[in-house]
Amino acid sequence: MSEQRGIIYVVDDDEQIRKGASVLLETLDADLVAFDSAESFLEAYDGRRPACLVTDLCMLGMSGTELQEHLHSLGIKMSVVVITAHASTASTVRAMKNGAFTLLEKPCDPNALWTAARNGLEIDKDTYEQELSCMSVRERLDSLTNKEQAVLECIVVGDANKVIARKMDVSIRTVENHRSRVFSKMKADSVAELVRMSLMVEQEGS
């Protein structure tokens, strides 16, 4: 898997804050794009990952919290750093429940903001790689026939071939053929790897 350069998005309707954050965060090994509103960010966002979104909580139009919720509704899980001059327990809890990596109060300590953005990028890199791996496993699962999927389900719960044959009312030879194709299509070398793949997809969907 080729490593893609990360990107930081700064979204704040305060031009001074936006420019200051951009100058600071440009020192990170990542691309940087700034927007004056959540709406303009959404119009331009192309799904690029890994990414870290640095957004103000209170803005004209769509708020930072509403932006978080909108991204969440789209299934976008990029790291988010929320900055605000009006922190409250309720707003902090809401931001964190919506997936914010951290919340910083304005005026932000430059070191704290820089560190938060850097850590956010690293976390999103790991998250994005996991998402890509899970997507690859899902594609392999989709390539299985119904009978192969049934055999896979039996394999991951530890059923022996003769047990699978009895459950499916087929010969052991037929089970062996299905089993061989399952390992081939899933690109797995062991039962443990099949179990890991199944758990990955199950956890991603939960």
Side-chain angles (χ1 to χ4, degrees), residues 65-121:
T65 302
E66 291 169 338
L67 173 56
Q68 279 185 278
E69 292 171 346
H70 183 70
L71 291 173
H72 183 72
S73 72
L74 297 175
I76 299 171
K77 302 178 182 179
M78 78 171 79
S79 292
V80 179
V81 175
V82 172
I83 56 177
T84 180
H86 308 286
S88 67
T89 300
S91 62
T92 299
V93 170
R94 187 177 177 188
M96 302 307 283
K97 282 186 175 180
N98 286 327
F101 167 64
T102 190
L103 186 145
L104 302 174
E105 291 191 49
K106 293 181 179 180
C108 299
D109 175 80
N111 289 331
L113 178 57
W114 189 90
T115 300
R118 181 196 62 188
N119 291 344
L121 274 176

Side-chain angles (χ1 to χ4, degrees), residues 26 119 128 187 196:
E26 278 178 344
N119 291 344
Y128 185 50
K187 299 180 181 178
R196 180 188 63 79

Side-chain angles (χ1 to χ4, degrees), residues 189-204:
D189 296 322
S190 66
V191 171
E193 194 170 359
L194 285 179
V195 172
R196 180 188 63 79
M197 290 179 182
S198 298
L199 287 174
M200 177 193 298
V201 172
E202 182 179 325
Q203 291 169 358
E204 182 72 14

Side-chain angles (χ1 to χ4, degrees), residues 55-69:
T55 180
D56 190 9
L57 191 63
C58 301
M59 296 182 287
L60 295 174
M62 181 182 287
S63 69
T65 302
E66 291 169 338
L67 173 56
Q68 279 185 278
E69 292 171 346

Side-chain angles (χ1 to χ4, degrees), residues 25-40:
L25 298 177
E26 278 178 344
T27 61
L28 287 167
D29 184 22
D31 296 328
L32 188 143
V33 187
F35 300 91
D36 60 5
S37 70
E39 289 85 352
S40 60

Side-chain angles (χ1 to χ4, degrees), residues 9-204:
Y9 299 103
V10 176
V11 181
D12 198 309
D13 57 2
D14 185 318
E15 184 177 5
Q16 185 175 358
I17 297 294
R18 192 168 64 248
K19 287 184 176 180
S22 297
V23 170
L24 172 69
L25 298 177
E26 278 178 344
T27 61
L28 287 167
D29 184 22
D31 296 328
L32 188 143
V33 187
F35 300 91
D36 60 5
S37 70
E39 289 85 352
S40 60
F41 162 73
L42 289 172
E43 288 178 5
Y45 181 60
D46 60 0
R48 182 171 164 187
R49 300 274 298 281
C52 179
L53 170 65
V54 178
T55 180
D56 190 9
L57 191 63
C58 301
M59 296 182 287
L60 295 174
M62 181 182 287
S63 69
T65 302
E66 291 169 338
L67 173 56
Q68 279 185 278
E69 292 171 346
H70 183 70
L71 291 173
H72 183 72
S73 72
L74 297 175
I76 299 171
K77 302 178 182 179
M78 78 171 79
S79 292
V80 179
V81 175
V82 172
I83 56 177
T84 180
H86 308 286
S88 67
T89 300
S91 62
T92 299
V93 170
R94 187 177 177 188
M96 302 307 283
K97 282 186 175 180
N98 286 327
F101 167 64
T102 190
L103 186 145
L104 302 174
E105 291 191 49
K106 293 181 179 180
C108 299
D109 175 80
N111 289 331
L113 178 57
W114 189 90
T115 300
R118 181 196 62 188
N119 291 344
L121 274 176
E122 287 300 313
I123 289 173
D124 197 65
K125 177 183 175 183
D126 292 340
T127 300
Y128 185 50
E129 288 177 350
Q130 290 172 8
E131 289 174 6
L132 291 179
S133 294
C134 189
M135 186 183 305
S136 175
V137 171
R138 285 186 182 279
E139 290 174 353
R140 293 178 220 170
L141 284 171
D142 289 342
S143 74
L144 300 179
T145 65
N146 290 338
K147 289 184 178 180
E148 288 165 357
Q149 288 179 1
V151 169
L152 172 61
E153 291 172 4
C154 291
I155 292 174
V156 298
V157 297
D159 288 343
N161 284 356
K162 62 181 180 180
V163 175
I164 301 173
R166 187 164 60 249
K167 283 184 176 180
M168 297 181 64
D169 193 24
V170 296
S171 68
I172 292 179
R173 180 61 178 171
T174 298
V175 171
E176 291 172 345
N177 289 336
H178 286 320
R179 186 185 182 103
S180 176
R181 286 193 291 271
V182 166
F183 275 89
S184 177
K185 289 184 178 181
M186 295 301 295
K187 299 180 181 178
D189 296 322
S190 66
V191 171
E193 194 170 359
L194 285 179
V195 172
R196 180 188 63 79
M197 290 179 182
S198 298
L199 287 174
M200 177 193 298
V201 172
E202 182 179 325
Q203 291 169 358
E204 182 72 14

